[in-house]
Amino acid sequence: MLLLCSGLAGQTLFQSPEEGWQLYTSAQAPDGKCICTAVIPAQSTCSRDGRSRELRQLMEKVQNVSQSMEVLELRTYRDLQYVRGMETLMRSLDARLRAADGSLSAKNFQELKDRMTELLPLSSVLEQYKADTRTIVRLREEVRNLSGSLAAIQEEMGAYGYEDLQQRVMALEARLHACAQKLGCGKLTGVSNPITVRAMGSRFGSWMTDTMAPSADSRVWYMDGYYKGRRVLEFRTLGDFIKGQNFIQHLLPQPWAGTGHVVYNGSLFYNKYQSNVVVKYHFRSRSVLVQRSLPGAGYNNTFPYSWGGFSDMDFMVDESGLWAVYTTNQNAGNIVVSRLDPHTLEVMRSWDTGYPKRSAGEAFMICGVLYVTNSHLAGAKVYFAYFTNTSSYEYTDVPFHNQYSHISMLDYNPRERALYTWNNGHQVLYNVTLFHVISTSGDP
């Protein structure tokens, strides 16, 4: 290959960090041009750069599916243990009934029979849980096979079978989402007593873990204050966070507003100060991957929660993905909830809940349902629920103990099925109880 260049003969003049290009030797041609020798990588993708990028994106999607499956298994482990225990109890009762043969009194026999009658409806639920477990095993095997296919194609730097692989990835994502909705979701019926993890920082702030991280990753992120902050502390584990040790610091290129930040799949999503811009900051590369204005969203204390603090925009993650909660002038100050594409930050769909944001203490998403508290002070309770799947709402009455009397951050983590709270300088956790409604019509 001949290239116009300038440089010293016999030395490496340039090497691309991504493709491995190297230029060696240069000589003067009779017409005065500089002739260089270019050594191209053995597996060059010059003509297939676009397709290779698409393959890498597919690989990332498959990895995300794999991580989501691990989160799903972690979250439903206790449910499956409970189900297995109920199955053992049913078998025991059934055996006692069969072995009774008149040895039990009429009263005891009737009590056992009544108990068995109460448990009979659970049999179909037990079978469905077993079927769902088998579905997860099959999904895991498909992910493993698909990852191998993608890796082989990437190694060859070819594009054979790309469209088929893309369809398989999309189908896996859809099936995984359906599994998560069926196995892990339910209606909020209770919030536990608070668990104080640490007392650190000012009255306002936020702290969180990555909702998409594998179980071995227990990093904690800490952001003190509610406006103009840029310093994010990353602790290696929850234990390190409690002790205040083993952390690194990230300095954001743009300051934040509010406390409604969230960490999702290795990136921080936050509201840029004095704007309605959403920023996606990637921790590993320490760079902003994308930023986008949220159309019409109020900012700079135009439509905050009842406690103020530039809380106009609140980002959340639940079982189905990334959400933004905010309001606009067009919605007359009522809460708007939007589903966001985590890669582009584009709004995929929006709902007007009809609930005035200034009357809300805080809000969080669980299983596609937005739950709103009626205050940020003592005596607060979960008062309102908006269901995005049916575009309907209801008023609720789920109390929780606001131990330190001033909540400035409340967020749900679907991996741990817990609420993370910043309460008057205290970092607090609440466990939640979800009421499951399980369909027994078969595997979709």
PDB file of all heavy atoms in Angstrom, residues 303-308 310-314 325-327 332-336 353-362 372-373:
ATOM      1  N   PHE A 303     -40.331  22.257  39.116  1.00  0.00           N
ATOM      2  CA  PHE A 303     -41.287  21.243  39.555  1.00  0.00           C
ATOM      3  C   PHE A 303     -40.573  20.201  40.426  1.00  0.00           C
ATOM      4  O   PHE A 303     -40.444  19.042  40.030  1.00  0.00           O
ATOM      5  CB  PHE A 303     -41.940  20.555  38.356  1.00  0.00           C
ATOM      6  CG  PHE A 303     -42.754  21.468  37.483  1.00  0.00           C
ATOM      7  CD1 PHE A 303     -42.340  21.772  36.199  1.00  0.00           C
ATOM      8  CD2 PHE A 303     -43.944  22.016  37.950  1.00  0.00           C
ATOM      9  CE1 PHE A 303     -43.090  22.600  35.384  1.00  0.00           C
ATOM     10  CE2 PHE A 303     -44.696  22.854  37.143  1.00  0.00           C
ATOM     11  CZ  PHE A 303     -44.278  23.150  35.862  1.00  0.00           C
ATOM     12  N   PRO A 304     -40.116  20.590  41.615  1.00  0.00           N
ATOM     13  CA  PRO A 304     -39.430  19.615  42.476  1.00  0.00           C
ATOM     14  C   PRO A 304     -40.430  18.802  43.289  1.00  0.00           C
ATOM     15  O   PRO A 304     -41.641  19.058  43.269  1.00  0.00           O
ATOM     16  CB  PRO A 304     -38.588  20.506  43.389  1.00  0.00           C
ATOM     17  CG  PRO A 304     -39.449  21.726  43.562  1.00  0.00           C
ATOM     18  CD  PRO A 304     -40.157  21.932  42.235  1.00  0.00           C
ATOM     19  N   TYR A 305     -39.906  17.817  44.039  1.00  0.00           N
ATOM     20  CA  TYR A 305     -40.701  17.164  45.066  1.00  0.00           C
ATOM     21  C   TYR A 305     -40.971  18.162  46.185  1.00  0.00           C
ATOM     22  O   TYR A 305     -40.420  19.273  46.201  1.00  0.00           O
ATOM     23  CB  TYR A 305     -39.963  15.949  45.626  1.00  0.00           C
ATOM     24  CG  TYR A 305     -39.890  14.766  44.681  1.00  0.00           C
ATOM     25  CD1 TYR A 305     -38.660  14.194  44.348  1.00  0.00           C
ATOM     26  CD2 TYR A 305     -41.047  14.202  44.141  1.00  0.00           C
ATOM     27  CE1 TYR A 305     -38.577  13.103  43.491  1.00  0.00           C
ATOM     28  CE2 TYR A 305     -40.982  13.109  43.284  1.00  0.00           C
ATOM     29  CZ  TYR A 305     -39.741  12.562  42.965  1.00  0.00           C
ATOM     30  OH  TYR A 305     -39.676  11.485  42.123  1.00  0.00           O
ATOM     31  N   SER A 306     -41.763  17.754  47.171  1.00  0.00           N
ATOM     32  CA  SER A 306     -42.178  18.682  48.228  1.00  0.00           C
ATOM     33  C   SER A 306     -41.010  19.248  49.024  1.00  0.00           C
ATOM     34  O   SER A 306     -41.108  20.333  49.592  1.00  0.00           O
ATOM     35  CB  SER A 306     -43.148  17.977  49.180  1.00  0.00           C
ATOM     36  OG  SER A 306     -42.538  16.843  49.783  1.00  0.00           O
ATOM     37  N   TRP A 307     -39.873  18.532  49.060  1.00  0.00           N
ATOM     38  CA  TRP A 307     -38.731  19.018  49.843  1.00  0.00           C
ATOM     39  C   TRP A 307     -37.827  19.967  49.052  1.00  0.00           C
ATOM     40  O   TRP A 307     -36.881  20.536  49.603  1.00  0.00           O
ATOM     41  CB  TRP A 307     -37.909  17.840  50.372  1.00  0.00           C
ATOM     42  CG  TRP A 307     -37.272  16.974  49.323  1.00  0.00           C
ATOM     43  CD1 TRP A 307     -37.827  15.921  48.683  1.00  0.00           C
ATOM     44  CD2 TRP A 307     -35.941  17.086  48.819  1.00  0.00           C
ATOM     45  NE1 TRP A 307     -36.943  15.364  47.794  1.00  0.00           N
ATOM     46  CE2 TRP A 307     -35.766  16.059  47.860  1.00  0.00           C
ATOM     47  CE3 TRP A 307     -34.867  17.952  49.076  1.00  0.00           C
ATOM     48  CZ2 TRP A 307     -34.588  15.878  47.154  1.00  0.00           C
ATOM     49  CZ3 TRP A 307     -33.686  17.771  48.369  1.00  0.00           C
ATOM     50  CH2 TRP A 307     -33.559  16.749  47.431  1.00  0.00           C
ATOM     51  N   GLY A 308     -38.093  20.192  47.770  1.00  0.00           N
ATOM     52  CA  GLY A 308     -37.287  21.117  46.962  1.00  0.00           C
ATOM     53  C   GLY A 308     -36.012  20.468  46.476  1.00  0.00           C
ATOM     54  O   GLY A 308     -36.013  19.379  45.896  1.00  0.00           O
ATOM     55  N   PHE A 310     -33.832  21.023  44.006  1.00  0.00           N
ATOM     56  CA  PHE A 310     -33.587  20.808  42.577  1.00  0.00           C
ATOM     57  C   PHE A 310     -33.959  19.384  42.151  1.00  0.00           C
ATOM     58  O   PHE A 310     -33.335  18.799  41.265  1.00  0.00           O
ATOM     59  CB  PHE A 310     -32.120  21.094  42.228  1.00  0.00           C
ATOM     60  CG  PHE A 310     -31.708  22.523  42.455  1.00  0.00           C
ATOM     61  CD1 PHE A 310     -31.229  22.937  43.682  1.00  0.00           C
ATOM     62  CD2 PHE A 310     -31.828  23.467  41.442  1.00  0.00           C
ATOM     63  CE1 PHE A 310     -30.865  24.261  43.910  1.00  0.00           C
ATOM     64  CE2 PHE A 310     -31.457  24.791  41.652  1.00  0.00           C
ATOM     65  CZ  PHE A 310     -30.979  25.191  42.889  1.00  0.00           C
ATOM     66  N   SER A 311     -35.009  18.833  42.786  1.00  0.00           N
ATOM     67  CA  SER A 311     -35.408  17.449  42.521  1.00  0.00           C
ATOM     68  C   SER A 311     -36.424  17.360  41.386  1.00  0.00           C
ATOM     69  O   SER A 311     -37.337  16.532  41.415  1.00  0.00           O
ATOM     70  CB  SER A 311     -35.986  16.827  43.799  1.00  0.00           C
ATOM     71  OG  SER A 311     -37.073  17.598  44.295  1.00  0.00           O
ATOM     72  N   ASP A 312     -36.253  18.192  40.366  1.00  0.00           N
ATOM     73  CA  ASP A 312     -37.190  18.227  39.234  1.00  0.00           C
ATOM     74  C   ASP A 312     -37.180  16.919  38.454  1.00  0.00           C
ATOM     75  O   ASP A 312     -38.211  16.485  37.949  1.00  0.00           O
ATOM     76  CB  ASP A 312     -36.833  19.378  38.291  1.00  0.00           C
ATOM     77  CG  ASP A 312     -36.810  20.721  38.986  1.00  0.00           C
ATOM     78  OD1 ASP A 312     -35.839  21.012  39.715  1.00  0.00           O
ATOM     79  OD2 ASP A 312     -37.764  21.482  38.802  1.00  0.00           O
ATOM     80  N   MET A 313     -35.988  16.302  38.314  1.00  0.00           N
ATOM     81  CA  MET A 313     -35.859  15.098  37.495  1.00  0.00           C
ATOM     82  C   MET A 313     -35.319  13.953  38.365  1.00  0.00           C
ATOM     83  O   MET A 313     -34.333  14.120  39.079  1.00  0.00           O
ATOM     84  CB  MET A 313     -34.946  15.359  36.297  1.00  0.00           C
ATOM     85  CG  MET A 313     -35.525  16.397  35.334  1.00  0.00           C
ATOM     86  SD  MET A 313     -34.340  17.039  34.115  1.00  0.00           S
ATOM     87  CE  MET A 313     -33.974  15.560  33.192  1.00  0.00           C
ATOM     88  N   ASP A 314     -35.994  12.811  38.272  1.00  0.00           N
ATOM     89  CA  ASP A 314     -35.658  11.652  39.098  1.00  0.00           C
ATOM     90  C   ASP A 314     -35.525  10.436  38.189  1.00  0.00           C
ATOM     91  O   ASP A 314     -36.459  10.109  37.445  1.00  0.00           O
ATOM     92  CB  ASP A 314     -36.768  11.427  40.133  1.00  0.00           C
ATOM     93  CG  ASP A 314     -36.351  10.497  41.255  1.00  0.00           C
ATOM     94  OD1 ASP A 314     -35.208  10.001  41.226  1.00  0.00           O
ATOM     95  OD2 ASP A 314     -37.175  10.251  42.157  1.00  0.00           O
ATOM     96  N   VAL A 325     -38.686  10.356  35.903  1.00  0.00           N
ATOM     97  CA  VAL A 325     -39.886  10.953  36.492  1.00  0.00           C
ATOM     98  C   VAL A 325     -39.653  12.452  36.585  1.00  0.00           C
ATOM     99  O   VAL A 325     -38.636  12.902  37.133  1.00  0.00           O
ATOM    100  CB  VAL A 325     -40.173  10.332  37.874  1.00  0.00           C
ATOM    101  CG1 VAL A 325     -41.220  11.151  38.623  1.00  0.00           C
ATOM    102  CG2 VAL A 325     -40.628   8.890  37.731  1.00  0.00           C
ATOM    103  N   TYR A 326     -40.575  13.232  36.056  1.00  0.00           N
ATOM    104  CA  TYR A 326     -40.419  14.690  35.976  1.00  0.00           C
ATOM    105  C   TYR A 326     -41.789  15.285  35.708  1.00  0.00           C
ATOM    106  O   TYR A 326     -42.810  14.591  35.822  1.00  0.00           O
ATOM    107  CB  TYR A 326     -39.428  15.058  34.854  1.00  0.00           C
ATOM    108  CG  TYR A 326     -39.819  14.517  33.488  1.00  0.00           C
ATOM    109  CD1 TYR A 326     -40.439  15.319  32.537  1.00  0.00           C
ATOM    110  CD2 TYR A 326     -39.561  13.190  33.145  1.00  0.00           C
ATOM    111  CE1 TYR A 326     -40.796  14.825  31.289  1.00  0.00           C
ATOM    112  CE2 TYR A 326     -39.913  12.680  31.904  1.00  0.00           C
ATOM    113  CZ  TYR A 326     -40.533  13.504  30.988  1.00  0.00           C
ATOM    114  OH  TYR A 326     -40.887  13.003  29.748  1.00  0.00           O
ATOM    115  N   THR A 327     -41.848  16.557  35.334  1.00  0.00           N
ATOM    116  CA  THR A 327     -43.107  17.143  34.896  1.00  0.00           C
ATOM    117  C   THR A 327     -42.823  18.263  33.908  1.00  0.00           C
ATOM    118  O   THR A 327     -41.674  18.696  33.739  1.00  0.00           O
ATOM    119  CB  THR A 327     -43.942  17.641  36.088  1.00  0.00           C
ATOM    120  OG1 THR A 327     -45.263  17.932  35.639  1.00  0.00           O
ATOM    121  CG2 THR A 327     -43.333  18.871  36.713  1.00  0.00           C
ATOM    122  N   ALA A 332     -49.264  20.493  33.334  1.00  0.00           N
ATOM    123  CA  ALA A 332     -49.805  21.286  34.447  1.00  0.00           C
ATOM    124  C   ALA A 332     -49.199  20.907  35.790  1.00  0.00           C
ATOM    125  O   ALA A 332     -49.870  20.944  36.825  1.00  0.00           O
ATOM    126  CB  ALA A 332     -51.324  21.142  34.496  1.00  0.00           C
ATOM    127  N   GLY A 333     -47.913  20.528  35.782  1.00  0.00           N
ATOM    128  CA  GLY A 333     -47.241  20.216  37.026  1.00  0.00           C
ATOM    129  C   GLY A 333     -47.475  18.818  37.542  1.00  0.00           C
ATOM    130  O   GLY A 333     -47.013  18.473  38.633  1.00  0.00           O
ATOM    131  N   ASN A 334     -48.205  17.993  36.787  1.00  0.00           N
ATOM    132  CA  ASN A 334     -48.436  16.612  37.200  1.00  0.00           C
ATOM    133  C   ASN A 334     -47.239  15.734  36.840  1.00  0.00           C
ATOM    134  O   ASN A 334     -46.518  16.012  35.874  1.00  0.00           O
ATOM    135  CB  ASN A 334     -49.688  16.042  36.525  1.00  0.00           C
ATOM    136  CG  ASN A 334     -50.957  16.716  37.011  1.00  0.00           C
ATOM    137  OD1 ASN A 334     -51.033  17.154  38.163  1.00  0.00           O
ATOM    138  ND2 ASN A 334     -51.947  16.814  36.144  1.00  0.00           N
ATOM    139  N   ILE A 335     -47.050  14.672  37.612  1.00  0.00           N
ATOM    140  CA  ILE A 335     -45.915  13.776  37.378  1.00  0.00           C
ATOM    141  C   ILE A 335     -46.045  13.078  36.036  1.00  0.00           C
ATOM    142  O   ILE A 335     -47.083  12.504  35.707  1.00  0.00           O
ATOM    143  CB  ILE A 335     -45.808  12.727  38.501  1.00  0.00           C
ATOM    144  CG1 ILE A 335     -45.374  13.387  39.811  1.00  0.00           C
ATOM    145  CG2 ILE A 335     -44.828  11.621  38.134  1.00  0.00           C
ATOM    146  CD1 ILE A 335     -45.305  12.432  40.992  1.00  0.00           C
ATOM    147  N   VAL A 336     -44.971  13.138  35.258  1.00  0.00           N
ATOM    148  CA  VAL A 336     -44.838  12.382  34.017  1.00  0.00           C
ATOM    149  C   VAL A 336     -43.799  11.295  34.250  1.00  0.00           C
ATOM    150  O   VAL A 336     -42.742  11.551  34.832  1.00  0.00           O
ATOM    151  CB  VAL A 336     -44.379  13.287  32.854  1.00  0.00           C
ATOM    152  CG1 VAL A 336     -44.144  12.478  31.589  1.00  0.00           C
ATOM    153  CG2 VAL A 336     -45.409  14.385  32.598  1.00  0.00           C
ATOM    154  N   THR A 353     -49.444  10.873  34.911  1.00  0.00           N
ATOM    155  CA  THR A 353     -50.069  10.185  36.040  1.00  0.00           C
ATOM    156  C   THR A 353     -51.222  10.961  36.650  1.00  0.00           C
ATOM    157  O   THR A 353     -52.056  10.396  37.362  1.00  0.00           O
ATOM    158  CB  THR A 353     -49.034   9.912  37.138  1.00  0.00           C
ATOM    159  OG1 THR A 353     -48.603  11.163  37.692  1.00  0.00           O
ATOM    160  CG2 THR A 353     -47.836   9.151  36.582  1.00  0.00           C
ATOM    161  N   GLY A 354     -51.240  12.278  36.420  1.00  0.00           N
ATOM    162  CA  GLY A 354     -52.288  13.101  37.021  1.00  0.00           C
ATOM    163  C   GLY A 354     -52.016  13.498  38.455  1.00  0.00           C
ATOM    164  O   GLY A 354     -52.827  14.209  39.068  1.00  0.00           O
ATOM    165  N   TYR A 355     -50.878  13.072  39.011  1.00  0.00           N
ATOM    166  CA  TYR A 355     -50.564  13.390  40.410  1.00  0.00           C
ATOM    167  C   TYR A 355     -49.624  14.595  40.466  1.00  0.00           C
ATOM    168  O   TYR A 355     -48.569  14.590  39.827  1.00  0.00           O
ATOM    169  CB  TYR A 355     -49.906  12.190  41.093  1.00  0.00           C
ATOM    170  CG  TYR A 355     -49.829  12.308  42.597  1.00  0.00           C
ATOM    171  CD1 TYR A 355     -50.839  11.775  43.397  1.00  0.00           C
ATOM    172  CD2 TYR A 355     -48.769  12.954  43.226  1.00  0.00           C
ATOM    173  CE1 TYR A 355     -50.793  11.883  44.787  1.00  0.00           C
ATOM    174  CE2 TYR A 355     -48.712  13.063  44.612  1.00  0.00           C
ATOM    175  CZ  TYR A 355     -49.727  12.535  45.381  1.00  0.00           C
ATOM    176  OH  TYR A 355     -49.680  12.639  46.751  1.00  0.00           O
ATOM    177  N   PRO A 356     -49.971  15.651  41.224  1.00  0.00           N
ATOM    178  CA  PRO A 356     -49.119  16.860  41.283  1.00  0.00           C
ATOM    179  C   PRO A 356     -47.771  16.567  41.934  1.00  0.00           C
ATOM    180  O   PRO A 356     -47.721  16.062  43.058  1.00  0.00           O
ATOM    181  CB  PRO A 356     -49.943  17.851  42.104  1.00  0.00           C
ATOM    182  CG  PRO A 356     -50.919  17.006  42.870  1.00  0.00           C
ATOM    183  CD  PRO A 356     -51.201  15.802  42.036  1.00  0.00           C
ATOM    184  N   LYS A 357     -46.694  16.893  41.253  1.00  0.00           N
ATOM    185  CA  LYS A 357     -45.368  16.534  41.737  1.00  0.00           C
ATOM    186  C   LYS A 357     -44.989  17.276  43.018  1.00  0.00           C
ATOM    187  O   LYS A 357     -44.307  16.721  43.889  1.00  0.00           O
ATOM    188  CB  LYS A 357     -44.315  16.789  40.650  1.00  0.00           C
ATOM    189  CG  LYS A 357     -42.945  16.196  40.985  1.00  0.00           C
ATOM    190  CD  LYS A 357     -42.077  16.114  39.743  1.00  0.00           C
ATOM    191  CE  LYS A 357     -40.756  15.427  40.065  1.00  0.00           C
ATOM    192  NZ  LYS A 357     -39.851  16.224  40.866  1.00  0.00           N
ATOM    193  N   ARG A 358     -45.403  18.509  43.142  1.00  0.00           N
ATOM    194  CA  ARG A 358     -45.067  19.269  44.341  1.00  0.00           C
ATOM    195  C   ARG A 358     -45.745  18.707  45.594  1.00  0.00           C
ATOM    196  O   ARG A 358     -45.362  19.046  46.720  1.00  0.00           O
ATOM    197  CB  ARG A 358     -45.439  20.746  44.160  1.00  0.00           C
ATOM    198  CG  ARG A 358     -44.490  21.508  43.242  1.00  0.00           C
ATOM    199  CD  ARG A 358     -44.872  22.969  43.154  1.00  0.00           C
ATOM    200  NE  ARG A 358     -43.900  23.742  42.406  1.00  0.00           N
ATOM    201  CZ  ARG A 358     -42.813  24.291  42.921  1.00  0.00           C
ATOM    202  NH1 ARG A 358     -42.556  24.140  44.205  1.00  0.00           N
ATOM    203  NH2 ARG A 358     -41.984  24.986  42.171  1.00  0.00           N
ATOM    204  N   SER A 359     -46.753  17.855  45.418  1.00  0.00           N
ATOM    205  CA  SER A 359     -47.422  17.229  46.560  1.00  0.00           C
ATOM    206  C   SER A 359     -46.799  15.879  46.910  1.00  0.00           C
ATOM    207  O   SER A 359     -47.237  15.235  47.868  1.00  0.00           O
ATOM    208  CB  SER A 359     -48.912  17.017  46.246  1.00  0.00           C
ATOM    209  OG  SER A 359     -49.559  18.251  46.031  1.00  0.00           O
ATOM    210  N   ALA A 360     -45.815  15.460  46.136  1.00  0.00           N
ATOM    211  CA  ALA A 360     -45.166  14.166  46.366  1.00  0.00           C
ATOM    212  C   ALA A 360     -43.902  14.346  47.188  1.00  0.00           C
ATOM    213  O   ALA A 360     -43.115  15.264  46.942  1.00  0.00           O
ATOM    214  CB  ALA A 360     -44.825  13.505  45.027  1.00  0.00           C
ATOM    215  N   GLY A 361     -43.709  13.470  48.184  1.00  0.00           N
ATOM    216  CA  GLY A 361     -42.463  13.515  48.951  1.00  0.00           C
ATOM    217  C   GLY A 361     -41.315  12.920  48.169  1.00  0.00           C
ATOM    218  O   GLY A 361     -40.255  13.522  48.021  1.00  0.00           O
ATOM    219  N   GLU A 362     -41.521  11.709  47.627  1.00  0.00           N
ATOM    220  CA  GLU A 362     -40.555  11.013  46.771  1.00  0.00           C
ATOM    221  C   GLU A 362     -41.320   9.994  45.946  1.00  0.00           C
ATOM    222  O   GLU A 362     -42.543   9.828  46.122  1.00  0.00           O
ATOM    223  CB  GLU A 362     -39.467  10.312  47.607  1.00  0.00           C
ATOM    224  CG  GLU A 362     -38.259  11.184  47.934  1.00  0.00           C
ATOM    225  CD  GLU A 362     -37.373  11.450  46.719  1.00  0.00           C
ATOM    226  OE1 GLU A 362     -37.524  10.729  45.716  1.00  0.00           O
ATOM    227  OE2 GLU A 362     -36.528  12.356  46.795  1.00  0.00           O
ATOM    228  N   VAL A 372     -45.753   6.604  44.851  1.00  0.00           N
ATOM    229  CA  VAL A 372     -45.498   7.980  45.285  1.00  0.00           C
ATOM    230  C   VAL A 372     -45.819   8.098  46.769  1.00  0.00           C
ATOM    231  O   VAL A 372     -46.868   7.616  47.225  1.00  0.00           O
ATOM    232  CB  VAL A 372     -46.360   8.972  44.475  1.00  0.00           C
ATOM    233  CG1 VAL A 372     -46.080  10.408  44.919  1.00  0.00           C
ATOM    234  CG2 VAL A 372     -46.106   8.822  42.985  1.00  0.00           C
ATOM    235  N   THR A 373     -44.925   8.750  47.510  1.00  0.00           N
ATOM    236  CA  THR A 373     -45.203   9.014  48.923  1.00  0.00           C
ATOM    237  C   THR A 373     -45.866  10.379  49.067  1.00  0.00           C
ATOM    238  O   THR A 373     -45.665  11.269  48.237  1.00  0.00           O
ATOM    239  CB  THR A 373     -43.921   8.977  49.772  1.00  0.00           C
ATOM    240  OG1 THR A 373     -43.091  10.102  49.428  1.00  0.00           O
ATOM    241  CG2 THR A 373     -43.137   7.692  49.524  1.00  0.00           C
TER     242      THR A 373
END
